[in-house]
Amino acid sequence: MWDGLLHAIPGVFAWQNVLAMVVGTIGGIVIGALPGLSATMGIAVLIPLTFGMEPLVALGMMAGIYNGAMYGGAIPAVLLRIPGTPAAVCTTLDGYPMAQRGDAARALQISCLSSAVGGMASAIALIALAPPLVQVTLLFGPAEYFWVAVFGLCSVSVLLGKDPVKGLIAACFGLLLGTVGIDGVSGHERFTFDDMNLAGGLHVVVVLTGLYALPPIFMLAEEAARRSANEGMAVLRASVGLFHGWTKFIKTWIRSSLIGIVIGILPGAGGSLAAFLSYNEEKRASKDPDSFGQGNENGVAAAECGNNADNAAALIPALTLGIPGSAVTAIILGGLLIHGLQPGPALFRDHGDVVYGFMIQMLITSVLIIFFGGVVASRLFANVLRIPSALLAPCVLGLCVVGVYSVQDSMFDVYLMFGFGLIGYAMDRLRFPLAPVVLGVVLGGMAESNLRLALIIAQGDYIQLVSSVVSQIVIAMILVVLAVPLIRARLAKKVGLG
């Protein structure tokens, strides 16, 4: 491994590769900041342009887009409560309240540093622990992945809001949305109402934009109707230094990085689950859990660090076993194959300079986020809030329409977005949490497909779902999570009687 790293370093720091990493990182931040666009889309568009490039140059640009876009999603999440990427949903919970009280620049700085720390921790894990960590993924079969998905849904639904029942209802609604489309096992259509536009299911970007982007736009419009143009402008506090008070986030970063790395090496789990679990764990460990959702800085740090700690870790099963850990890594595998690089053990043996160089590039591009995200982006983008509400609402709405239309070139998706916008607005008013809905859509397909696959393998024997030690451990964790609200209520009752 050390020989491979030493041979790769000179190539990584060639000027062409450095330029590719810088361009990729800046481009990734811009892509992530635009609602409807994602790292997956950015890399997919880039791959055809890399045919004539050297492998390291192409991979350096991919690494920059990957890490940059995962941070860039925090920018609209903080400023407008619009998650730029699905994994940025948790960032809205405390980032947006911080922006509302004038601390938008501070929230973006925390997001930037936390994203960089998570990305660096993930890259170091990829470099140092790839072979042994792959053995962990081999312990997980369909049954184990099913329970992991259930654990993610339960933990977010129960721990995220003040009312666990509303959280579970929201998660069930998300699971229902996830069943729309053609059944992957039987091939039957479900809830499509004979409309071919629904045959492929509901795209997560459409659901995400509708639920999260449109309700704030409606509220901005209401605010603009009540106030004059000048009154709609936000007051921003002076930004402190990028590294101001960073020591208080160390424990948060350690916890969230570990969670993100573990989730990253599990194929199919994804950054969304890592961000949610990191946020929930931070809230559970906090001495003031009620401050979460009100603009808690540690909530922003946990969500962004866990989100980015998944990045390079998801490449561990992809590079060593050829199993993509996420949609982004699947696209990156395609980029490797285009350049004649076959994932697997032979990749490390025959092309060590390229694969280790790519790992180093994942580390370097995480560092670049600090310069291009924290120093430049936080000051530049925070001024978006100075735009009067009467102008900001139609601008953001137009951006959402263009972003959603570009996903599949479909006006039907735009109409769906408006429908989910009304649903999201009603859920906001009724104080239903929106995050479990999104996670239900994201994890619902994973839970269903793995459950059915596990039962097919076990020939219908449900006992096989709980037979492995890993399954039993995850089930125990689920029971603990479900018991937390009951224990809290009991303790609160005793205190009240006391």
Side-chain angles (χ1 to χ4, degrees):
M1 183 186 78
W2 293 112
D3 287 343
L5 286 172
L6 291 173
H7 282 97
I9 288 174
V12 170
F13 286 98
W15 72 267
Q16 300 96 326
N17 293 327
V18 173
L19 179 61
M21 288 186 286
V22 170
V23 171
T25 303
I26 296 173
I29 292 173
V30 174
I31 288 169
L34 295 174
L37 303 184
S38 64
T40 307
M41 187 180 299
I43 294 175
V45 171
L46 173 68
I47 284 179
L49 306 177
T50 66
F51 284 127
M53 296 181 183
E54 290 293 322
L56 262 184
V57 176
L59 291 173
M61 200 170 289
M62 291 182 199
I65 291 176
Y66 191 3
N67 282 323
M70 297 308 284
Y71 159 66
I75 295 172
V78 167
L79 300 179
L80 303 168
R81 214 194 74 169
I82 302 173
T85 60
V89 168
C90 266
T91 310
T92 65
L93 301 177
D94 285 288
Y96 185 67
M98 285 185 68
Q100 290 294 94
R101 66 176 186 231
D103 291 330
R106 178 62 178 160
L108 289 175
Q109 289 174 342
I110 294 170
S111 299
C112 172
L113 271 183
S114 302
S115 296
V117 170
M120 287 186 283
S122 185
I124 291 171
L126 173 62
I127 293 170
L129 304 174
L133 281 178
V134 168
Q135 302 304 315
V136 177
T137 66
L138 298 178
L139 298 175
F140 283 72
E144 288 76 14
Y145 280 122
F146 165 70
W147 291 117
V148 167
V150 173
F151 172 68
L153 286 167
C154 289
S155 61
V156 170
S157 305
V158 172
L159 300 178
L160 201 57
K162 294 183 178 180
D163 190 340
V165 175
K166 287 185 175 180
L168 289 172
I169 291 173
C172 290
F173 178 56
L175 290 173
L176 176 64
L177 296 179
T179 61
V180 174
I182 295 177
D183 181 4
V185 177
S186 67
H188 293 145
E189 292 185 6
R190 301 184 298 189
F191 305 112
T192 61
F193 306 101
D194 294 325
D195 191 326
M196 288 302 297
N197 291 296
L198 293 173
L202 299 173
H203 199 287
V204 67
V205 171
V206 178
V207 178
L208 188 68
T209 307
L211 289 177
Y212 271 90
L214 294 195
I217 293 173
F218 297 153
M219 293 173 189
L220 280 174
E222 291 176 354
E223 182 183 356
R226 288 195 303 266
R227 302 181 179 182
S228 66
N230 290 331
E231 290 176 329
M233 296 172 68
V235 177
L236 299 180
R237 295 177 187 165
S239 175
V240 295
L242 178 62
F243 296 98
H244 175 77
W246 66 273
T247 52
K248 73 175 183 179
F249 300 119
I250 291 177
K251 289 183 180 179
T252 300
W253 288 339
I254 292 173
R255 271 193 298 265
S256 301
S257 294
L258 291 174
I259 292 172
I261 290 169
V262 171
I263 294 298
I265 64 174
L266 302 178
S272 300
L273 181 58
F276 279 111
L277 293 183
S278 298
Y279 183 87
N280 281 331
E281 179 59 24
E282 185 64 25
K283 182 178 180 180
R284 187 196 64 78
S286 174
K287 295 179 181 179
D288 184 20
D290 291 337
S291 66
F292 282 73
Q294 308 298 320
N296 190 302
E297 292 185 352
N298 288 81
V300 177
E304 281 301 300
C305 186
N307 169 14
N308 281 262
D310 165 84
N311 291 359
L315 290 166
I316 293 173
L319 296 177
T320 54
L321 299 176
I323 303 172
S326 63
V328 186
T329 53
I331 300 295
I332 291 176
L333 281 187
L336 288 171
L337 293 172
I338 284 174
H339 290 278
L341 304 173
Q342 181 66 44
L347 179 64
F348 290 79
R349 184 185 67 241
D350 301 335
H351 303 282
D353 57 334
V354 175
V355 68
Y356 283 112
F358 179 46
M359 293 177 179
I360 296 171
Q361 288 171 330
M362 289 294 294
L363 178 61
I364 293 173
T365 51
S366 296
V367 177
L368 290 177
I369 290 175
I370 296 175
F371 297 101
F372 296 109
V375 177
V376 179
S378 61
R379 295 180 181 178
L380 177 65
F381 286 107
N383 288 299
V384 167
L385 293 180
R386 293 190 180 276
I387 301 174
S389 301
L391 296 178
L392 186 59
C395 289
V396 176
L397 180 60
L399 193 63
C400 292
V401 170
V402 171
V404 166
Y405 179 80
S406 66
V407 172
Q408 298 180 120
D409 295 333
S410 169
M411 278 303 297
F412 185 81
D413 285 346
V414 175
Y415 302 144
L416 274 181
M417 177 192 72
F418 280 105
F420 283 117
L422 295 175
I423 293 172
Y425 184 75
M427 292 180 70
D428 251 358
R429 292 297 189 190
L430 297 173
R431 300 191 180 280
F432 277 84
L434 295 175
V437 180
V438 177
L439 201 63
V441 175
V442 173
L443 293 183
M446 171 184 169
E448 181 189 15
S449 60
N450 281 291
L451 172 63
R452 297 174 73 177
L453 183 57
L455 291 175
I456 290 171
I457 294 173
Q459 297 181 340
D461 185 5
Y462 285 87
I463 299 299
Q464 296 300 316
L465 291 175
V466 298
S467 61
S468 73
V469 175
V470 175
S471 292
Q472 292 165 5
I473 292 173
V474 179
I475 291 170
M477 293 166 62
I478 293 171
L479 295 176
V480 169
V481 165
L482 293 176
V484 166
L486 300 177
I487 295 172
R488 283 181 181 170
R490 194 173 185 85
L491 291 174
K493 190 175 181 181
K494 284 185 177 180
V495 171
L497 291 173

